[in-house]
Amino acid sequence: MEHKTDFLVVGSGLAGMSFALQVAEFGSVILLSKTNLEETNTWYAQGGIASVMYAPDNPEKHVQDTLIAGDGLCDEKIVRMVINEAPEQIKSLIGWGANFDKNTDGKFNLNREGGHSEYRILHHKDSTGVEIMRALSGRVRAHPNITIMEKSFALDLITQHHLGTPVFRGNPEIECYGAYTFDIENNRIDTILSKITLLATGGSGYIYQTTTNPPIATGDGIAMAYRAKAYVDHVEFFQFHPTSLYNPGERPSFLISEAVRGFGGILKTQDGEEFMNKYDPRGSLASRDIVARAIDTELKNRGEDFVNLDCTHIEPESLKTHFPNIYKKCLSIGIDMTRVPVPVVPAAHYFCGGIRTDENGQTTICNLYAAGEVACTGLHGANRLASNSLLEAVVFAHRAAIDSGRKLPKLNHQKEIPPWNDEGTRNPDEMVLITQGTRELQQIMTNYMGIVRTNARLKRALDRIYILYRETEELYGQSTVSVKLCELRNAIKVAYLIVKHARQRKESRGLHYNLDYPKQSKA
Ligand SMILES: Cc1cc2nc3c(=O)[nH]c(=O)nc-3n(C[C@H](O)[C@H](O)[C@H](O)COP(=O)(O)OP(=O)(O)OC[C@H]3O[C@@H](n4cnc5c(N)ncnc54)[C@H](O)[C@@H]3O)c2cc1C
């Protein structure tokens, strides 16, 4: 089936929904989600969204904190732009109905997280993402110009390649005409022709064994854009959150927000040693990469599976009031965090790199924009500062909406797009190959491409990924479309890009820590 729309938005998290709401004022919008509207990384965000609100904080302090975390690889112009535009975007979120906690004096209750020199995180208890999604999804569902397509999986972007013209990376004239999508419920491939396309497909945490990301995070957007010959950047920088709840068998791993450490929680080994002071004078509040590496080192040295986050010295009622969701979750597995320490391990959490964009979210392909976790805008550099990602998503969605709205009147739909070329005939009933391929990939990435890397591990990862790539492409070529197989194929592409970029970086910097280049940066 063929659909035509002015704007195609792939992804229903904060980036996709806030963009959709704004461009719906200019034209028709189709909004895709591969599962349901709410199943997004955005939904799981706990800590909040960073923005300078009151003195003694000021934009310069936020800028410096972001640059320090990014370890020399942030684009300073972009950092300043995003931080200056933050308060305006917070107003938009509030205008769409999102509530952030306030004190009795009517001012926002601001949290502080690792790497931030001031209290500047707006939050809704410890479930900020749920609140943002509640507000935005209500608006999106009610908007007459927005057609929502749930259980609709974007397979590939349409470019000149599909009209028979070869395209190559670096060619400034590649244009995006929309996407081929798979309507999961009707088992049908659709062609969606759009004048403007936004990729807002979120993260890639599912390429690792232990992750805080929901199963949708398989890196589809990056893989699609790369196949369409867009540029990607900084993909070697994958952030591991130091403290996810150690609960073997649970996927995704439940996050114990950094705000708990900001509130006084202290990391200890199982025998009660406060180990973080050995690694950084900031102790348990050092930046995420340092804490994650310290935990990784302690676990490997001691041969243990988790460390503890001790909150038993904090006044119980205020702990429960500030972190009701975390308290409830721990209690559900028999841990009363006011009385006993919480067992935690690092987990793959945030993809700092992605599809390269300019200051308006425009990618290197004409009429293709990217915003949110899928994009590499220059804000995060080699390491993301906590709670800057929701901010990045909403700022770039806004800029992309303004920029693309301006272009829309000059654009037409491309004609004569051929239907999806599906040569495969075999039902991919070999689910074992797909399931085990996914597990193998996650093991490779966890064992060789995790928090600590070496050149030999990178080489092994590349060799193993190549074998999986060959086998999966063969299966894909023979099969009819299957979401699981497409996700595996995309995840392999992203894993390959991470390893390739990691091998090119001959230094340790930010989140890329390679023991063969021991000179470590200051972040
Ligand atoms: C547990 C957790 C806690 C976090 N806490 C914070 C925090 O406190 N502060 C902060 O700033 N950041 C936080 N983050 C990061 C932040 O939540 C994400 O970076 C951000 O929400 C990403 O938003 P997004 O709109 O880019 O993508 P997402 O919200 O992940 O949305 C992705 C969308 O893309 C769709 N999609 C993907 N592939 C396809 C496809 N092939 N076809 C169709 N649709 C597709 C999905 O269905 C989904 O709708 C947290 C992340 C996690 C996992």
Side-chain angles (χ1 to χ4, degrees), residues 304-317:
E304 292 176 348
D305 292 331
F306 61 87
V307 296
N308 281 322
L309 181 60
D310 190 354
C311 303
T312 54
H313 52 286
I314 301 172
E315 204 275 307
E317 282 315 308

Side-chain angles (χ1 to χ4, degrees), residues 263 314-324 338:
F263 206 66
I314 301 172
E315 204 275 307
E317 282 315 308
S318 79
L319 197 61
K320 287 188 212 170
T321 312
H322 273 82
F323 306 107
T338 63

Side-chain angles (χ1 to χ4, degrees), residues 178-193:
Y180 293 114
T181 63
F182 182 50
D183 177 334
I184 297 170
E185 284 197 324
N186 295 308
N187 195 25
R188 185 189 69 213
I189 310 257
D190 289 343
T191 303
I192 304 185
L193 294 180

Side-chain angles (χ1 to χ4, degrees), residues 10-16 32-37 39-50 113 128 133 152-155 200-203 212-214 216 218 220-221 224 253 255 288 349-350 371-374 384 386-391 393 490:
V10 188
S12 61
L14 175 56
L32 298 187
S33 153
K34 69 176 173 180
T35 54
N36 59 56
L37 214 55
E39 183 63 349
T40 59
N41 273 11
T42 303
W43 176 273
Y44 290 84
Q46 294 178 348
I49 178 163
E113 294 183 331
T128 309
M133 290 300 291
S152 187
F153 185 93
L155 295 164
T201 50
T212 60
N213 291 190
I216 53 127
T218 49
D220 300 346
M224 277 189 279
S253 302
L255 184 73
R288 276 183 191 178
H349 184 58
Y350 184 82
E373 193 164 337
V374 74
R384 171 192 69 139
S387 289
N388 265 358
S389 39
L390 289 174
L391 176 61
N490 290 336

Side-chain angles (χ1 to χ4, degrees), residues 220-473:
D220 300 346
I222 294 181
M224 277 189 279
Y226 193 74
R227 282 197 292 271
K229 306 284 187 265
Y231 275 109
V232 300
D233 254 342
H234 290 175
V235 286
E236 65 274 38
F237 301 115
F238 212 111
Q239 187 172 76
F240 284 73
H241 198 289
T243 54
S244 76
L245 181 62
Y246 175 74
N247 185 24
E250 182 175 5
R251 249 174 100 78
S253 302
F254 183 80
L255 184 73
I256 306 292
S257 164
E258 201 146 14
V260 176
R261 278 177 287 132
F263 206 66
I266 296 171
L267 286 163
K268 296 182 178 171
T269 53
Q270 290 183 31
D271 58 10
E273 187 199 333
E274 278 185 38
F275 60 91
M276 271 313 301
N277 291 331
K278 283 192 303 202
Y279 297 90
D280 193 283
R282 291 170 291 182
S284 293
L285 268 182
S287 62
R288 276 183 191 178
D289 54 331
I290 292 174
V291 180
R293 268 200 308 274
I295 297 176
D296 191 65
T297 307
E298 290 294 327
L299 295 182
K300 284 187 176 137
N301 285 346
R302 291 167 176 263
E304 292 176 348
D305 292 331
F306 61 87
V307 296
N308 281 322
L309 181 60
D310 190 354
C311 303
T312 54
H313 52 286
I314 301 172
E315 204 275 307
E317 282 315 308
S318 79
L319 197 61
K320 287 188 212 170
T321 312
H322 273 82
F323 306 107
N325 198 25
I326 295 175
Y327 176 74
K328 215 166 87 198
K329 171 68 191 181
C330 291
L331 210 54
S332 77
I333 60 163
I335 296 165
D336 178 349
M337 68 192 285
T338 63
R339 292 162 177 270
V340 291
V342 181
V344 291
V345 281
H349 184 58
Y350 184 82
F351 201 22
C352 292
I355 306 164
R356 188 201 289 172
T357 73
D358 69 7
E359 73 276 14
N360 293 318
Q362 168 72 59
T363 69
T364 50
I365 295 182
C366 300
N367 308 328
L368 177 68
Y369 289 77
E373 193 164 337
V374 74
C376 177
T377 63
L379 177 68
H380 307 307
N383 191 5
R384 171 192 69 139
L385 183 67
S387 289
N388 265 358
S389 39
L390 289 174
L391 176 61
E392 182 193 43
V394 73
V395 166
F396 276 89
H398 171 70
R399 294 191 136 256
I402 302 291
D403 196 58
S404 58
R406 223 181 275 135
K407 277 188 201 156
L408 184 71
K410 294 183 218 121
L411 301 174
N412 293 307
H413 286 119
Q414 179 66 31
K415 296 195 181 74
E416 289 156 23
I417 298 291
W420 172 256
N421 178 12
D422 185 11
E423 286 170 354
T425 50
R426 210 179 88 191
N427 224 337
D429 45 7
E430 262 294 19
M431 270 313 285
V432 173
L433 295 183
I434 300 173
T435 314
Q436 294 310 318
T438 305
R439 289 179 69 144
E440 261 179 67
L441 182 72
Q442 290 165 343
Q443 274 162 6
I444 295 167
M445 293 303 285
T446 302
N447 292 341
Y448 309 124
M449 283 303 302
I451 298 169
V452 176
R453 301 161 178 184
T454 65
N455 288 341
R457 292 179 208 176
L458 298 186
K459 164 85 170 59
R460 176 168 291 191
L462 192 65
D463 293 345
R464 299 288 193 273
I465 289 169
Y466 183 63
I467 296 170
L468 263 181
Y469 163 77
R470 267 200 349 250
E471 292 170 352
T472 307
E473 286 301 305

